Amino acid sequence: MHSSRRSLTSLVLHLHPQSVPASTLRFTLSFGLGGMAATLMGLLFLTGPLLLLLYQPSAEGAYDSVLVLTREVPFGRFARNIHSLSANILAGIVLLHGLRTLFTGAFGPGRRLNWIVGLFLLVLVLAANFTGYLLPWDQLAYWAGTICVNMLGYVPLCGGGLMEFVRGGKEVGPGTLANFFTLHVAILPAVLLVLTAWHFWLVRRAGGLVRSGDGEARLPVKPDLIAREAAAGLTLAACVLLLAIVIDAPLLARANPALSPNPAKAPWYFQGFQEILLHLDPAFAVFVWPVLGAAALVVLPFVPGAALPPGVWFGAKGGWKLAAWSALAGAALAAAVILADEFIPGAASPGAWIMRGLIPTAALAALLGGAYVALTRGGKRSRAQAVMAILTFAFAAMTVCAIVGIWFRGPLMRLTWPFAGGGA
Amino acid sequence: MSKRKNAMTKEPADKTAPDSGRRRFLNRLWALLGLAAAAELCVIGASFLVSRARREDRDKDAAVVIAGTVDQFKPGSVTAIPKGRFFLSRLPDGGFLALSPACTHLGCMVTWDEKQNRFACPCHGSAFSAAGEVLTGPASRPLDYYPTRIENGVVKTDASTALRRSGFEPDQAVRM
Ligand code: FES
């Protein structure tokens, strides 16, 4: 007994180095976001199997089994709420964790591969979230699934085949549900586990969290780091459990293939994307922009000098001012474009792909390129600062899109004031 | 002792020794077997997926839906036919057009808005005319339609496969 307990603690310790540089223990360096993500994953892996005991992965049985789970099974609703809350918070935390990595320059040499692994983890977390969203097979699930499957149709060349493959049949139905179920409970968790372990190990191999100087005092992991991790993790777990008592995971009416809810909205982490879908030609919104964005993020760490000086927020003492101005500019521009588009008639085909595809793409590229040149040449900023400004700009613009999508779109996705009836 | 030492120094030398050809061959064989196993797994996976699609095909019989008699539908009206999950649009010139309600943008179900005389999609706000043409984006092609015929004054629609089109042509509608 004693020895097995000791081996458990040594497993936990084994994931850590012996000692860590004192400065990396500062909470405001990392805000503990990575550890929080790991905690939430733990909650998900604990509650997932519980739900799996009662869930029936068939188009006929799924909805009823979720009803039984939430109404009749003791603590069933609680377990489902914990799972759903953890997943949603995890999506947010992972996004923030990525921003933190950007702002503290933690993707430079020595951490490049880990940035890529992190991007994959972000995609996996969102995919896991989304596939889970589809499993109850209610109206929310059915229409989100339909929209997602149809999006694949806009991928050039292989779009049609890809769509049929994921749909698993002529229409969204049992085959689609089976695909998403398999992804959600088998493939995604397995890949997530492996990549998470790799992600941790790469942090360790890079010498722990980012920091500005070398050769400073080191503190032993036990107790200094372990105690902090336990404090953050347990507090977060307690918060999730408390919230799960009061916040119910959504469950709409049973899936009805003949009727789309009005408005039909994506989950919050895809709302920014959905807002873009309203304005752009589908091939650009579904394929060109996401591919360009993803390529930029993948290439980023390999551009020399793109990372800020490590371990200092925003690269320098006053660096936050540049970030704040870029965020403001991005938010203002997004809001202005969304409002202006109200008055531009929705161009019907043909030519829509030029008006609502090529021209906006070129305009955005010119704007970002111009901003980069202005910052580095005119403003005498370093490349890293210019990169940070541009990414902050883009993120703020996406955030405004998401906010508009979540709160300011009513029936038929027209602009309205929040809570003006028929809301989310 | 000296013998053992000998053996140990000999070991690494073995890798470049004459019999390394055999070792290389065996390694390649392993790699080949591994690839074969992976290919088998892929084939099995694909056949699982394909069998599912084929089973669904068999379930589907020719789904000819009788929408009603010609005089039930006024010219310039749109009627939902729940049985076949389509809209029967009678154009002002008297032609019949059976329209799929699946929005061509991303597949949500459009609804008929009598007042504005248009189909509206709740997901991203596309709108279509009574003939299915795009009025406002983001949809980029008109609503799909089903082949329809008129026999003895009865409107019959084959609702099994929707036909894509890039624009409205008068001959897509059937007339008496
Ligand atoms: S699905 Fe109809 S507008 Fe997007």
Side-chain angles (χ1 to χ4, degrees), chain B residues 50-62:
Chain B
V50 170
S51 84
R52 211 165 51 180
R54 209 180 298 131
R55 222 177 30 243
E56 199 176 75
D57 271 354
R58 224 181 296 139
D59 294 346
K60 210 155 230 163
D61 9 307

Side-chain angles (χ1 to χ4, degrees), chain A residues 150 154 170 179 260 413, chain B residues 52 56-57 105-106 109 123:
Chain A
N150 279 298
Y154 286 103
K170 278 232 169 77
N179 284 345
S260 307
M413 298 305 276
Chain B
R52 211 165 51 180
E56 199 176 75
D57 271 354
H105 179 228
L106 291 170
M109 290 293 135
C123 289

Side-chain angles (χ1 to χ4, degrees), chain B residues 103 105-108 121 123-126:
Chain B
C103 177
H105 179 228
L106 291 170
C108 291
C121 178
C123 289
H124 313 100
S126 291

Side-chain angles (χ1 to χ4, degrees), chain B residues 96-98 131 145-146 165-175:
Chain B
F96 284 93
L97 192 59
Y145 70 106
Y146 294 107
R165 53 185 177 153
S166 55
F168 172 69
E169 309 285 347
D171 65 334
Q172 288 158 356
V174 282
R175 293 175 185 78

